[in-house]
């Protein structure tokens, strides 16, 4: 008789909690006060949310840093650290005033110089920030709490850039840290946010500890996604490196942890219905995708990229990742399904899941049997399971595919290699992005096609870039929608990446946690842990 994985893990969950959960807690917890115990999707690998786009580092960033502006649940941009601001009649000079009482964790006041240095560093790494940087003439400081941004030409999306919701978030750091090289990760997580990072208790890849910043002054408005009052209602937050699924599920069932960010979908039935546990979906979902290396054969040929995309069946990828149709939906679009800019223009024609047509396209494109290196991080199930589907698909197409299984750290290192596959390079990989990151052309980092400055894969298409610039330059919603459709049509022609569907990633949350702000990002403010 064959037992399914979830049956096996259900039987071992309680034992795992007793044998593994308690030692983790014993190592992590110290001191009194209310404690929230959280199992992140991966252990915190590093501290810099500007250098990395990792969501676990982004979530860490929201704990320890604050932002000048923020996105609320209605996708509106609200002031956060900024109290008020003025725009010159010609749109070329913006003046920002900071709220009173903002302090870093070491007690130093947050000043205009910190904001200038932080925005400048962020704008070197982030796609939206790079766009802003092209408009900036100069930064200026009027007094300790007032700074200006002078522009070469109007940029009405400036608050939207400074208040973007997800990676890379323009967090404000002390000037001494923000002046460091934007290509090298920082080692000092000094911020001004609701919690302070306890560096002495952290070992990369293991538990991370945060304690309440008593000097933090939240806004008076009610919390709404990243905007409003960020009230820290727990004294201590422990991120626990419980990477074994059975141990994590067991710890949750036993009440040893309060929040499990990404339980495997096939384990959700084990958790569902257990006393004191609630299953909650993350808003907007996660976008699955296949990213090509545009600089190396064979995927430097757009016709070959289109052939592979023609063969893809999104249902296969979503089944491999989450299994149940309850947790996925088709997404033949480059912008988050259901969002204002998502048109799907060109998607139905480009993604027919037609293997025969794809084979003919591949032959016409002149594929010569070049080796295809498919990078697959084995310790990241969502990416790895997509990779297994693609390995089979490419074999069916007659391509010479070599699936290279790595750990996450090795994957991160190798995807930066721009060389040929025989020199340690790569051909394609799978990943996922939050729907919050791909809402429109300004935010979307993977729609950028600015060559060597683009995200890993380095697509280069002046037409796509020009359409994106047009979108940014207009504030008329109807024109933006029309331009978004043209962007999607062009993207299905040049294929910066191939969308593989939208999935939900449920979280397991203790019913003892009240007031959680349900958002595409895992926020910790406003949460109260009851007895």
């Amino acid at each position: 008789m064959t037992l399914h994985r979830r049956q096996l893990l259900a039987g071992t969950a309680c034992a795992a909690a007793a044998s593994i959960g308690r030692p983790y807690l014993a190592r992590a917890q110290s001191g009194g006060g209310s404690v929230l115990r959280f199992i992140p999707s991966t252990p915190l690998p590093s501290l810099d949310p500007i250098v990395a786009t990792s969501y676990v580092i982004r979530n860490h960033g929201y704990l320890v840093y604050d932002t000048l502006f923020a996105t609320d649940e209605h996708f509106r941009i609200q002031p956060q650290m900024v109290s008020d601001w003025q725009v010159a009649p010609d749109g070329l000079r913006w003046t920002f005033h900071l709220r009173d009482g903002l302090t870093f964790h070491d007690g130093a006041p947050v000043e205009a110089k910190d904001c200038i240095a932080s925005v400048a560093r962020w704008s070197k790494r982030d796609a939206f920030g790079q766009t802003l940087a092209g408009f900036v003439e100069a930064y200026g400081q009027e007094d300790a709490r007032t700074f200006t941004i002078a522009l070469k030409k109007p940029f009405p999306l400036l608050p939207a850039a400074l208040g973007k919701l997800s990676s890379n978030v323009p967090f404000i750091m002390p000037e001494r840290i923000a002046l460091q090289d934007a290509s090298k990760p920082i080692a000092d997580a000094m911020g001004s946010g609701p919690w302070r990072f306890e560096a002495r208790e952290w070992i990369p890849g293991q538990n991370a500890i945060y304690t309440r910043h008593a000097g933090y002054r939240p806004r008076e408005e009610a919390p709404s996604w990243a905007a409003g009052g960020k009230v820290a209602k727990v004294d201590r937050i422990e991120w626990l490196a419980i990477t074994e699924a059975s141990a994590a599920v067991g710890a949750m069932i036993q009440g040893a942890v309060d929040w499990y960010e990404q339980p495997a979908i096939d384990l959700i039935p084990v958790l569902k219905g257990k006393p004191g546990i609630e299953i909650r979906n993350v808003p907007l979902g996660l976008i699955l995708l296949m990213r090509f290396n545009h600089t190396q054969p064979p995927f430097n040929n757009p016709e070959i990229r289109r052939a592979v995309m023609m063969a893809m069946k999104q249902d296969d990828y979503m089944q491999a990742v989450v299994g149940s149709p309850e947790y996925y939906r088709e997404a033949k679009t480059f912008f988050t399904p259901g969002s204002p800019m998502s048109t799907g223009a060109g998607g139905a024609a480009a993604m027919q899941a037609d293997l025969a047509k794809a084979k003919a396209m591949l032959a016409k494109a002149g594929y010569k049997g070049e080796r295809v290196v498919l990078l697959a991080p084995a310790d990241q199930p969502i990416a790895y399971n997509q990779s297994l589907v693609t390995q089979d698909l490419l074999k069916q197409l007659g391509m010479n595919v070599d699936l290279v299984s790595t750990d996450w750290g090795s994957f991160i290192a190798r995807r930066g290699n721009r060389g040929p596959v025989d020199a340690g390079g790569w051909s394609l990989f799978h990943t996922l992005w939050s729907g919050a990151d791909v809402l429109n052309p300004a935010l979307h980092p993977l729609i950028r096609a600015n060559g060597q400055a683009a995200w890993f894969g380095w697509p280069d298409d002046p037409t796509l870039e020009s359409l994106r610039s047009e979108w940014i330059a207009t504030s008329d919603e109807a024109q933006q929608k029309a331009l978004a459709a043209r962007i999607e049509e062009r993207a299905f022609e040049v294929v910066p990446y191939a969308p593989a569907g939208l999935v939900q990633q449920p979280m397991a949350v203790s019913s003892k946690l009240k007031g959680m702000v349900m958002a595409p990002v895992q926020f910790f403010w406003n949460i109260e842990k009851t007895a």
Side-chain angles (χ1 to χ4, degrees):
M1 181 176 66
T2 301
L3 292 178
H4 292 289
R5 177 169 176 259
R6 73 183 187 205
Q7 293 173 304
L8 289 169
L9 292 179
T12 61
C14 292
S19 63
I20 299 183
R22 288 194 191 105
Y24 272 98
L25 301 179
R27 288 198 298 270
Q29 186 178 358
S30 64
S34 56
V35 180
L36 189 157
R37 302 181 184 95
F38 173 70
I39 303 175
S41 57
T42 63
L44 182 67
S46 62
L47 301 178
D48 196 334
I50 304 304
V51 168
T53 55
S54 164
Y55 290 146
V56 70
I57 304 176
R58 173 204 65 190
N59 295 347
H60 151 85
Y62 269 112
L63 281 164
V64 300
Y65 301 109
D66 213 345
T67 56
L68 296 169
F69 290 84
T71 303
D72 71 12
E73 61 193 271
H74 304 292
F75 304 105
R76 297 176 304 204
I77 302 301
Q78 306 289 359
Q80 187 59 30
M81 298 174 77
V82 167
S83 62
D84 59 277
W85 68 101
Q86 296 83 41
V87 187
D90 62 2
L92 297 181
R93 180 181 173 89
W94 294 65
T95 303
F96 302 94
H97 310 279
L98 296 177
R99 292 194 286 128
D100 290 332
L102 300 178
T103 62
F104 289 110
H105 298 152
D106 61 0
V110 178
E111 297 185 353
K113 62 181 182 180
D114 305 304
C115 302
I116 292 170
S118 295
V119 171
R121 184 174 191 266
W122 162 79
S123 67
K124 294 174 183 174
R125 300 289 303 186
D126 180 75
F128 204 170
Q130 290 169 355
T131 301
L132 168 61
F135 285 76
V136 172
E137 179 71 39
Y139 296 99
Q141 179 176 340
E142 293 196 349
D143 58 47
R145 293 195 297 111
T146 305
F147 69 97
T148 61
I149 300 180
L151 302 175
K152 302 171 186 174
K153 53 186 176 178
F155 188 67
L157 294 178
L158 181 51
L162 299 180
K164 67 171 293 195
L165 179 65
S166 193
S167 302
N168 301 89
V169 180
F171 294 118
I172 301 304
M173 304 174 177
E175 181 191 42
R176 61 179 174 80
I177 297 175
L179 288 176
Q180 294 180 32
D181 189 336
S183 66
K184 297 178 181 178
I186 62 171
D188 184 351
M190 176 68 69
S192 65
W195 288 271
R196 69 176 73 237
F197 179 68
E198 298 295 339
R200 289 176 296 180
E201 298 188 58
W202 178 62
I203 300 174
Q206 297 189 23
N207 300 334
I209 307 299
Y210 305 84
T211 56
R212 189 168 62 88
H213 173 33
Y216 182 75
R217 290 192 181 182
R219 295 188 67 93
E220 295 182 357
E221 302 92 339
S224 178
W225 283 11
K230 302 177 180 180
V231 179
K233 295 185 177 180
V234 292
D235 298 309
R236 181 179 172 92
I237 297 171
E238 299 175 355
W239 284 22
L240 306 178
I242 306 177
T243 56
E244 174 57 43
S246 61
V249 168
M252 193 75 209
I253 291 173
Q254 291 295 299
V257 296
D258 304 300
W259 184 357
Y260 184 6
E261 184 184 10
Q262 286 191 7
I265 294 292
D266 64 343
L267 297 183
I268 295 298
V270 178
L271 293 163
K272 245 179 186 177
K274 290 290 188 296
I277 296 177
E278 300 173 6
I279 304 299
R280 303 180 184 179
N281 281 340
V282 176
L284 299 184
L286 301 170
I287 309 298
L288 307 180
L289 62 96
M290 176 192 295
R291 183 70 164 184
F292 302 96
N293 187 337
H294 292 240
T295 68
Q296 299 292 337
F299 296 123
N300 59 341
N301 183 342
E303 294 181 15
I304 293 179
R305 299 195 296 271
R306 285 197 293 270
V308 172
M309 187 169 64
M310 175 61 70
M312 293 174 65
K313 185 178 180 182
Q314 288 193 343
D315 194 73
D316 289 345
Y317 289 94
M318 296 184 293
Q319 280 280 344
V321 170
V322 299
S324 172
E326 177 184 2
Y327 296 112
Y328 67 71
R329 62 177 288 190
E330 188 177 83
K332 296 179 181 179
T333 172
F334 285 91
F335 303 117
T336 307
S339 65
M341 293 300 126
S342 180
T343 69
M351 302 192 73
Q352 299 179 23
D354 190 325
L355 189 64
K357 182 178 286 189
K359 285 183 177 179
M361 291 171 65
L362 192 63
K364 185 178 179 181
Y367 174 66
K368 301 180 177 62
E370 294 98 334
R371 179 173 167 237
V372 172
V373 170
L374 170 57
L375 292 186
D379 52 356
Q380 297 292 310
I382 294 179
Y384 191 75
N385 290 347
Q386 290 182 81
S387 301
L388 295 179
V389 175
T390 291
Q391 180 186 34
D392 181 64
L393 179 68
L394 296 185
K395 286 180 178 179
Q396 291 183 61
L397 285 171
M399 301 188 79
N400 176 20
V401 58
D402 179 12
L403 185 145
V404 177
S405 179
T406 70
D407 58 44
W408 179 246
S410 300
F411 169 82
I412 291 294
R414 184 161 179 176
R415 73 177 179 179
N417 188 325
R418 299 173 188 252
V421 294
D422 292 337
W426 56 276
S427 308
L428 74 164
F429 64 77
H430 280 276
T431 187
L432 69 142
W433 282 75
S434 167
D437 284 316
V438 298
L439 289 167
N440 62 52
L443 288 173
H444 198 333
L446 273 68
I447 208 74
R448 295 301 309 269
N450 51 340
Q452 294 301 303
W455 197 70
F456 304 101
W458 312 288
D460 190 349
D461 184 64
T463 300
L464 198 54
E465 282 291 292
S466 177
L467 287 169
R468 178 179 179 272
S469 296
E470 285 186 57
W471 189 94
I472 289 172
T474 181
S475 57
D476 181 82
E477 189 171 347
Q479 291 181 24
Q480 286 184 333
K481 185 86 170 181
L483 284 166
R486 291 174 61 192
I487 288 170
E488 293 207 89
E489 288 175 340
R490 181 61 180 175
F492 279 114
E493 292 175 9
V494 299
V495 199
Y497 67 88
L502 182 149
V503 300
Q504 292 290 340
Q505 175 56 63
M507 304 184 298
V509 180
S510 169
S511 58
K512 294 181 180 180
L513 300 185
K514 306 298 183 184
M516 180 178 288
V517 177
M518 291 302 298
V521 177
Q522 283 62 61
F523 297 132
F524 289 79
W525 48 80
N526 206 52
I527 296 176
E528 186 173 3
K529 185 174 178 181
T530 61

